[in-house]
Amino acid sequence: MFTLFNLVIGVLWALILIFGEWQDSLFGLVIVANALIGIVQELRAKRTLDRLAVINEAPVRVRRDGREREINPRDVVLGDLILLGPGDRLLVDGEVVHSDGLEIDESLLTGEADPVHKQPGDQVLSGSFAVAGSGAFVSTRVGTDAYAVKLAEEASKFHLAHSELRAGVANFIKYITWLVIPIGALLIYSQLHNSADLRTAVTGAVAGIVTMIPEGLVLMTSIAFAVGVVRLGRRKCLVQELPAIEGLARVDVLCLDKTGTLTAGGMDLDEVLPMPGEHPAEEALAALAHLDERPNATAEAIRARYPAAPAGWAARSTVPFSSARKWSGADFGGHGAWVLGAPDVLLHGGACYDRATELAATGTRVLALCRTDSLDATERGQAAVEPVALVTLKQRIRPDARETLGYFAEQGVTLKIISGDNPLAVSAIATGLGIPGGERALDARDLPHDDPAKLGELLDAHTVFGRVSPQQKREFVAALQARGHTVAMTGDGVNDVLALKDADLGIAMGAGSPATKAVAQVVLLDDSFATLPHVVGEGRRVLANIERVSNLFLTKTFYAIVLSLAVGLAGMQFPFAPRHSTLTNALVIGIPAFFLALAPTLERARPGFVPRVLRFAVPAGVLCAAAVLVSFWAAHRGASTLLEDQTAAVITLFLTTWWVLVLIARPLNWWRTGLVAAMAVLFAVALSLPFVREFFALEPGDLANDLTAVGVSLVAALMISAAVKLAGTLRP
């Protein structure tokens, strides 16, 4: 409500109510309409976001009065004992009181990518998140005292997604505001100086100034964004930043994490294949799976086969699983130290390694169960491990994955499959889904780390990458962006957080870790990969339609600027009154813009929004203004009345701007044809019905004037079509 344009229109509205007739003050209703429509749409969007945010908000696990419970994040108080597991976000500051291999990633606060091991007594800060192990801490600073909140207040690193659309509209408004002031002053002076009638002078000046203001452009942009949020909300898609909708339309590279995106959540234990020798493989496997209070998907699959931990297998020390390490382990005392993890990390050749490679090539997820002399030495890569068994797990391919991937291929969006799994396993799944280039997977451990240009070339040339570390995912995003790509990244695990944050658009799965959902701009709450085409389609709809609407509003602004300048410099009567402007603007801009802004479209986003709109609106506006001036001048030379002269100018204005509407509405399907035809019919009705003519001060009584207006309009329409074609701003 409190905008510069509303202030200007409000002052002009008051002037008309004082000096003019009330019919000429209809333009003032724009303030009321803008405010009401904008408020309603914003409230609808806010309600949708609030409902989705509650669903998305991860509860905090605390121990109160001796029992564990989940509470709302805002209900955490000082002294709460907060429990942590992999993927949990820290929402308050505190002191660690228990650690079972707890590792905290503080990269969002410090920029340091390596996780930090936390021991009892260590401090933990809000804004970080757990990546491995488990533990508990006592909250010592909550609310505005928490570190992350203070950091945000002092120098927030958070920024909205870049919006060329938002920036372009803001620039239009800024420059037009500066133009309105001097041109409006010139127009007011000329009308007062050359008109004996104060009422006529004021209404003429107001008509010119009001027409220069694109008062509905910001409204239509806000409505399009808000409606996009509501539409996506109905598909269980939470848009956490409005400009992210625009980012959806510009994406040309989509990086997909295999696990949780192409494959459904969870796995099934397939086989335990023992190696030669007498070893308690199944007992060790069951014991390892029951170590963590909050098991990952692999441990859950093993637990389903072995629901109870074997007796006598108590762990003396443990090493929790992490994406960087790619294995977990425990020392069971007399039973020895055991590790479970990726074969290509734990093993270095041999029959077991070869067998694991063969299995992985079929798309099976393979783990190696090994004995080791020392967990510490294994972590340093200095211990010899003895392979005991291979464990195979079945991954569940999402039923909608193939169709969704086909959609992106049709839309020209390049896919990059990025996974921490074995490259052969990832390649098998990609090939099975028909992803082009899926058979040529690269092992990320062999990629250059110190040559971003070379890395970018390899990323452009290949589609599937395995054994990608969390830090490499971030490097991949940066390398693709450096090559001019607009990159979207999907993910669900803590290992995806840094890449999601750096991508142009981060898309998180609803079942993913709280840290992942916190940094993403879009969250797919129902974990449906098939929602992504709707997400991209909504972004393209918003972007393409706002460009159409901007063409309409800016054409009006430029013809008003040219008319006002010409009238002010020539010292002539303004060609029409405010009510005339209200009528034509409603029929060729206001009503059509509302429908065009919300219409479905399959157009792909194109860069260069601002120059493209200007290349259309400037020549179209100038030619419309020239046609109106010619018609008014020709009519004014005859013996007709001022009202008849203004009517001829209004006919010309409507016909030329209606043709602009036709050009913008293309391609003309049935409903667009009906829309532009309905506007023409409504204008004909306004000229035909006596009470409507009287209300809008129209008097089409001079046939020569009216025919001249039609002829001038036809010539102007041909010139506008030629100018638009020459500029190449619209698709046919």
Side-chain angles (χ1 to χ4, degrees), residues 88 153 196 201 211 237 288 446 480 507 513 517 534 597 611 641 682:
D88 284 346
E153 289 175 351
T211 311
C237 175
L288 287 170
D446 300 329
L480 288 166
I507 304 171
S513 71
K517 292 184 283 187
H534 299 289
T641 64
L682 287 175

Side-chain angles (χ1 to χ4, degrees), residues 257 259 326 342 365 418-422 426 465-469 473 495:
D257 180 32
T259 306
K326 300 195 186 301
R365 181 178 173 85
I418 298 173
S419 175
D421 281 355
N422 186 297
V426 184
F465 303 87
R467 290 292 176 235
V468 184
S469 69
K473 291 185 179 184
N495 57 318

